[in-house]
Structure formats: structure tokens, C-alpha cells
Amino acid sequence: MRKFFCFLLFAAAITLFLMGYNTWIQTEKVVVSSSALPEGFDGYRVLLVSDLHARSFGAENKWLLRTVQTAQPDLIALCGDLLDEKEQIGMVMELVGALTAIAPCCYVTGNHEWAAGCVNELSAALTAVGVTVLDDDYALLERANDAIVLAGFCDPNGHTSREARRKLVEEIRQVQEEPYILLLNHRNEPPEVFADLGVQTVLSGHGHGGVIRLPFVGGLLDTDRTLFPKYTSGLYRAGETSLVVSRGLGGTRILCRPHLPLLILRTEK
């Protein structure tokens, strides 16, 4: 009986540890330097919020909002998969309304918004509260008399294509001379994809940190069930391109802490 009781205590401790670990938000500072970044944006802070999947962190998301506030972002990038079902729009919008009070927000679709069939409704709601929705589109960010391009690719579950992506970048280059492009793209594609387009910095999610993270190994599974995926968490480079991948906040995960990368842009001199 004593051994059985000890086993139950051990099992309960492991369960509580796993539950706590999977709700303990990690803010990770990621410094990205580029000679193409205008000096006016040196030190600019972008918080990457991805793969929420309608998860809550405390009553009215107080833990998440407190963490975001502490990060002091200049911009909050919402990189898709905010929800799984259309009925979750109201809850998500309560959170987004609070986020817009902290910093300007921008958004690109993830595969789950398209699967839920609520892209148009969610995008309209986000636009109504001042979020910049980037659906194969771009906007200019201005700071200290300098400007960079903020762009976003629609998720492949929607209407986008490789050709549409390339045309968008070509359009940006026709309008802006030697632009610095900060790109939101939900899926954690290889950085070489974006280096080929000439994009300097990319923010992504989608991979849930490899779903199961093993010590000294990293992610075990991609969301498409590929073993040992390469781009699941942190900073990756290809030439002059930097890819920052968030492990996300919600969704299926084991030994994978919720992740809020804080991108700090630096001018390389």
C-alpha cells in the first residue's frame, strides 16, 4: 500500500509539473541585426504572438497580458491560428482589444482560421479595433523620420500562391527604394524561401515547437507529423535573411513552454 501511495504521489507530481510547464509563458529576446535597417528603427521591439488556438492564461488572460505589458513592445505581430472555431471569435477579440491598448497590432491568417471558415468575419472584427490585417499586403511603419515595410503573406489554406508572394515583394520594391521588409508568415518555412525573395526578417509560428520537445534534442514532431523538424523555435538565418519562429501559446504540446519571442531590431554598422 505504501509503494502504491508513493507511486500516486509521484504520478501526481509529474502531472502537475507538466501542466505547470505547459502554461508558464517564456519571453525570449531575439536580437536581429541588418545593415538594411534604417537607424530610426534601431532598438525597435516586436512581440510575436502566434498559435493561441483560443487558449486563456488566467481570468481575462491576465497572465498573458501582464507578460505582454512587461515586454514593452512597439508592435505586436499576430501570426495566425488565433482560434480553432468560429464561436471563439468573441473570446479572441476580448484579448486583442486589450493587446491594442498596449501597442499597435498586425495580423496574418493561419491555417486554422481558414479551416474554421471565419477568415472574413475575424478579419473584419480585427480591422474594426485598429489591427492592421495583412492579406498578401503591406503597410509602411514610420519612426524617427525613417520607414520600413511591414508585409504579410496569406496562409496557403487560403487564396495565396508562390507567384502572388513574389508579385507582392516586387510591388514593394517598385514603390520603396531598397526597402527593409519585416514579413509575417504563419508557417515555419525554411529561411531560404524568404532569402530567395530578398526579405530581411520573417516572423512565423505554426510548428508548436515540435509538439513534444526533448532535452538536448528539440522538437520531435512537426504539425504535419514530420520527425525532428528543423525550424521550430528561435532564430534561423539564410544569407541576409533572419527567420524568427515562435513555439506558440496554445495547441497540443508536451514539455513545450508557451513562447513569446521579443524581436529587437538593430542596425548593423
Side-chain angles (χ1 to χ4, degrees):
M1 178 64 72
R2 183 178 178 181
K3 289 183 177 179
F4 180 69
F5 182 69
C6 290
F7 173 78
L8 287 180
L9 285 178
F10 177 77
I14 292 295
T15 300
L16 289 173
F17 170 77
L18 291 175
M19 291 175 62
Y21 196 83
N22 290 341
T23 58
W24 181 21
I25 301 171
Q26 177 190 12
T27 302
E28 178 186 8
K29 289 185 179 179
V30 181
V31 178
V32 173
S33 300
S34 172
S35 58
L37 182 72
E39 289 190 5
F41 279 85
D42 186 59
Y44 194 73
R45 299 161 71 89
V46 184
L47 191 69
L48 172 52
V49 178
S50 184
D51 298 272
L52 178 68
H53 293 282
R55 185 177 185 182
S56 292
F57 291 84
E60 298 179 342
N61 264 307
K62 63 179 181 180
W63 299 337
L64 175 56
L65 291 171
R66 187 180 302 159
T67 304
V68 173
Q69 184 76 57
T70 301
Q72 298 181 315
D74 296 299
L75 179 72
I76 299 172
L78 306 172
C79 267
D81 281 6
L82 292 180
L83 47 70
D84 296 321
E85 300 174 3
K86 183 176 181 179
E87 291 74 19
Q88 296 166 336
I89 289 179
M91 185 278 282
V92 167
M93 289 308 303
E94 287 181 9
L95 171 61
V96 173
L99 290 176
T100 59
I102 297 174
C105 296
C106 53
Y107 164 78
V108 291
T109 58
N111 52 300
H112 277 252
E113 287 93 340
W114 287 101
C118 62
V119 167
N120 291 339
E121 186 173 345
L122 177 60
S123 295
L126 291 169
T127 301
V129 297
V131 176
T132 301
V133 176
L134 299 163
D135 182 11
D136 282 347
D137 204 353
Y138 72 95
L140 287 183
L141 296 177
E142 297 181 344
R143 188 177 192 238
N145 297 318
D146 280 324
I148 63 174
V149 174
L150 175 66
F153 287 161
C154 174
D155 187 80
N157 269 19
H159 52 70
T160 193
S161 65
R162 294 289 181 189
E163 184 61 25
R165 293 178 168 195
R166 188 169 294 279
K167 284 183 178 179
L168 176 62
V169 176
E170 289 175 355
E171 179 184 340
I172 291 170
R173 296 194 181 284
Q174 289 173 1
V175 176
Q176 297 292 315
E177 184 177 353
E178 298 183 356
Y180 177 94
I181 302 175
L182 174 63
L183 174 71
L184 277 60
N185 181 71
H186 173 66
R187 303 204 185 204
N188 52 335
E189 299 173 69
E192 289 79 8
V193 170
F194 309 103
D196 181 57
L197 292 172
V199 174
Q200 287 86 0
T201 304
V202 186
L203 304 181
S204 297
H206 184 62
H208 294 194
V211 183
I212 302 171
R213 290 192 72 79
L214 304 176
F216 311 109
V217 174
L220 178 62
L221 292 170
D222 206 344
T223 47
D224 64 1
R225 300 300 180 262
T226 301
L227 285 172
F228 304 110
K230 291 183 178 180
Y231 310 108
T232 60
S233 178
L235 175 63
Y236 306 90
R237 291 184 177 275
E240 299 299 315
T241 297
S242 297
L243 168 67
V244 180
V245 180
S246 171
R247 297 192 301 272
L249 294 166
T252 304
R253 55 183 60 235
I254 298 174
L255 291 174
C256 183
R257 287 179 63 186
H259 193 204
L260 285 176
L262 178 62
L263 176 68
I264 302 176
L265 301 182
R266 290 295 182 189
T267 303
E268 192 175 78
K269 299 178 182 179

